[in-house]
């Protein structure tokens, strides 16, 4: 597997389906298109193969500028086209393409090498800003994530949504790698396959191409809801879980995903357990410490949250829960007036 760099694209890219992209680009591909302002905007799409909104937004953007010069140079990394062909986040045995970037805890492999190359190339080009576009499976609003509390990064995130989430973990995500040398955001555009998600991401990309600079002014506090996502919750490896099978170690409540971006009080039930002595979840904070006991307890057969918190990315998709995580837990950050 080798990184391919291109400066023009095949005509089919303007109309192909996301599943056909792998035929166009069998190798990981970094595309550089020249625009009026030479400092490129960097966009990555399909780091997760089933998260198609970024690809379709980009396709609309390429169509818009097919016969006119881009306002700013644009570099695009097409991520896991192989998984996209199959409609999956990643293939079994593949490294998660949003955990392979410099800073990752994964062992060096072909994927981490390619991610490192992309970062080096874009740093060399003095990239203007970086945008990585994702979807999620649960009921979530559109929001932007940043990995540094800096005015320019907040401005870039706030341009997409009033909801901005700050996190430093998981490690090895694309935006964290780019954060070291340019303003970087991850966009969460709701579920895949929604036209308003594609439209929103397209408008945002177009706006970013027209930005002459990112100002270092504070964001107006009335325009932003800023949260710190500090805890990742996973299912313990040896625990079974389900939304329907009452014999599982942990039976989740189907209303779970309605809690996303909602403050839930202490005592809220996440599900029912078979064995009240075996905690089926593990909560890890941003320093890698196990904080399960601070956040969860078993009361009778109920698995309860122990303190007021705000979950995000809760989903009913069992494969995603097993491959990635159950959810993140957040708290609000108050910006100075
Ligand atoms: Zn994703």
């Amino acid at each position: 597997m080798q990184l391919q760099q291109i400066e023009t694209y095949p005509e089919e890219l303007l109309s192909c389906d996301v599943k056909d992209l792998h035929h166009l680009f069998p190798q990981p591909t970094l595309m550089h298109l020249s625009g009026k302002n030479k400092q490129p905007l960097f966009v990555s799409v399909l780091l997760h193969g089933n998260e198609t909104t970024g690809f379709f937004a980009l396709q609309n953007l390429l169509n818009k500028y097919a016969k006119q010069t881009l306002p700013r140079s644009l570099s695009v990394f097409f991520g896991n086209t192989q998984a996209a062909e199959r409609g999956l986040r990643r293939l079994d045995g593949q490294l998660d393409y949003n955990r392979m970037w410099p800073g990752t805890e994964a062992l060096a492999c072909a994927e981490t090498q390619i991610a490192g190359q992309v970062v080096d190339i874009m740093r060399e080009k003095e990239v203007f800003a970086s945008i990585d576009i994702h979807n999620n499976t649960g009921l979530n609003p559109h929001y932007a994530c940043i990995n540094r509390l800096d005015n320019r990064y907040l401005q870039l995130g706030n341009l997409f949504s009033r909801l901005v989430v700050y996190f430093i973990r998981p490690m090895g995500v694309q935006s964290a790698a780019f954060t070291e040398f340019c303003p970087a955001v991850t966009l969460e555009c709701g579920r895949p396959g929604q036209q308003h998600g594609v439209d929103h991401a397209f408008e945002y990309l177009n706006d970013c191409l027209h930005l002459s600079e990112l100002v270092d002014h504070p964001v107006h506090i009335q325009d932003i809801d800023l949260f710190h996502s500090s805890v990742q919750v996973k299912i313990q490896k040896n625990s079974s879980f389900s939304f329907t099978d009452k014999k599982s170690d942990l039976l989740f409540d189907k209303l779970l995903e309605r809690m996303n971006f909602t403050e839930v009080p202490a005592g809220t039930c996440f599900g029912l357990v078979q064995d009240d002595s075996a905690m089926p979840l593990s909560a890890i904070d941003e320093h890698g410490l196990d904080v399960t006991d601070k956040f969860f307890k078993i009361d009778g057969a109920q698995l309860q949250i122990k303190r007021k918190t705000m979950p995000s990315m809760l989903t009913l998709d069992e494969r995603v829960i097993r491959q990635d995580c159950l959810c993140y837990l957040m708290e609000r950050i108050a910006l100075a007036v």
Side-chain angles (χ1 to χ4, degrees):
M1 194 166 69
Q2 265 192 330
L3 180 68
Q4 158 181 251
Q5 292 192 74
I6 54 174
E7 288 179 357
T8 54
Y9 55 81
E11 190 73 22
E12 297 97 300
L13 183 60
L14 295 177
S15 58
C16 74
D17 188 64
V18 66
K19 293 201 157 85
D20 305 326
L21 195 58
H22 187 59
H23 287 287
L24 287 187
F25 302 138
Q27 294 154 270
T29 300
L30 180 60
M31 175 174 83
H32 305 289
L33 301 177
S34 178
K36 286 179 194 142
N37 188 326
K38 295 298 169 206
Q39 207 189 357
L41 180 72
F42 177 69
V43 179
S44 53
V45 298
L46 293 170
L47 295 189
H48 295 142
N50 58 344
E51 300 176 11
T52 56
T53 291
F55 172 71
F56 289 120
L58 177 81
Q59 197 174 47
N60 290 352
L61 195 74
L62 294 179
N63 274 290
K64 179 175 167 67
Y65 292 101
K67 292 197 170 61
Q68 50 174 316
T69 314
L70 286 157
R72 174 184 285 285
S73 292
L74 175 67
S75 294
V76 180
F77 180 63
F78 296 93
N80 200 338
T81 57
Q82 217 182 340
E85 189 176 35
R86 311 259 300 269
L88 296 172
R89 178 186 174 91
R90 65 175 166 91
L91 304 182
D92 286 330
Q94 265 185 335
L95 187 59
D96 186 320
Y97 273 40
N98 203 24
R99 303 287 184 274
M100 67 180 187
W101 299 82
T104 181
E105 291 167 322
L107 296 174
C109 60
E111 285 97 344
T112 59
Q113 206 178 347
I114 281 163
Q117 259 179 294
V118 171
V119 165
D120 289 346
I121 292 164
M122 293 316 301
R123 188 196 279 124
E124 186 88 352
K125 287 184 178 289
E126 295 181 12
V127 54
F128 169 65
S130 165
I131 300 163
D132 181 26
I133 310 177
H134 287 255
N135 294 106
N136 44 61
T137 46
L139 276 177
N140 289 284
H142 292 186
Y143 59 98
C145 298
I146 56 173
N147 309 104
R148 185 174 288 184
L149 292 171
D150 169 298
N151 286 335
R152 292 172 309 144
Y153 294 54
L154 287 162
Q155 296 279 3
L156 187 64
N158 197 208
L159 196 61
F160 181 69
S161 173
R162 64 171 294 122
L163 266 179
V164 178
V165 172
Y166 163 73
F167 73 89
I168 58 170
R169 221 186 152 83
M171 318 276 273
V173 301
Q174 189 272 19
S175 59
F178 277 77
T179 282
E180 297 300 320
F181 50 91
C182 73
V185 288
T186 306
L187 307 185
E188 290 290 351
C189 303
R191 297 173 197 263
Q194 295 176 322
Q195 188 57 42
H196 74 278
V198 174
D199 295 343
H200 188 192
F202 163 76
E203 295 295 342
Y204 179 77
L205 291 177
N206 196 32
D207 288 349
C208 287
L209 282 176
H210 283 92
L211 280 178
S212 55
E213 59 170 344
L214 279 162
V215 290
D216 194 12
H217 300 161
V219 173
H220 294 294
I221 54 166
Q222 66 270 25
D223 294 338
I224 190 167
D225 286 308
L226 180 61
F227 295 96
H228 180 190
S229 180
S230 55
V231 174
Q232 188 187 40
V233 183
K234 293 190 171 204
I235 311 283
Q236 296 276 14
K237 278 203 176 65
N238 46 12
S239 297
S240 62
F241 70 96
S242 175
F243 289 90
T244 49
D245 180 4
K246 293 195 169 82
K247 289 199 240 22
S248 307
D249 296 331
L250 174 56
L251 178 66
F252 280 121
D253 191 326
K254 278 192 193 142
L255 298 178
L256 202 62
E257 64 173 352
R258 299 210 182 158
M259 293 183 203
N260 282 330
F261 285 88
T262 305
E263 268 181 337
V264 298
T268 301
C269 179
F270 268 51
L272 300 174
V273 294
Q274 290 280 342
D275 176 357
D276 63 8
S277 67
M279 171 56 70
L281 298 183
S282 99
I284 304 293
D285 79 3
E286 60 186 354
H287 308 293
L289 297 173
D290 191 314
V291 291
T292 312
D293 290 347
K294 276 192 194 159
F295 284 88
F296 293 99
K297 67 171 181 186
I298 294 172
D299 190 346
Q302 283 198 354
L303 174 68
Q304 292 181 355
I305 193 93
K306 262 170 104 170
R307 54 159 83 185
K308 189 172 85 174
T309 186
M310 186 184 282
S312 69
M313 295 246 208
L314 279 165
T315 170
L316 303 183
D317 187 323
E318 295 182 7
R319 188 181 164 100
V320 170
I321 295 173
R322 193 52 90 183
Q323 272 195 348
D324 187 27
C325 68
L326 172 66
C327 69
Y328 295 88
L329 302 176
M330 310 188 291
E331 61 206 21
R332 187 180 283 269
I333 299 177
L335 285 172
V337 182

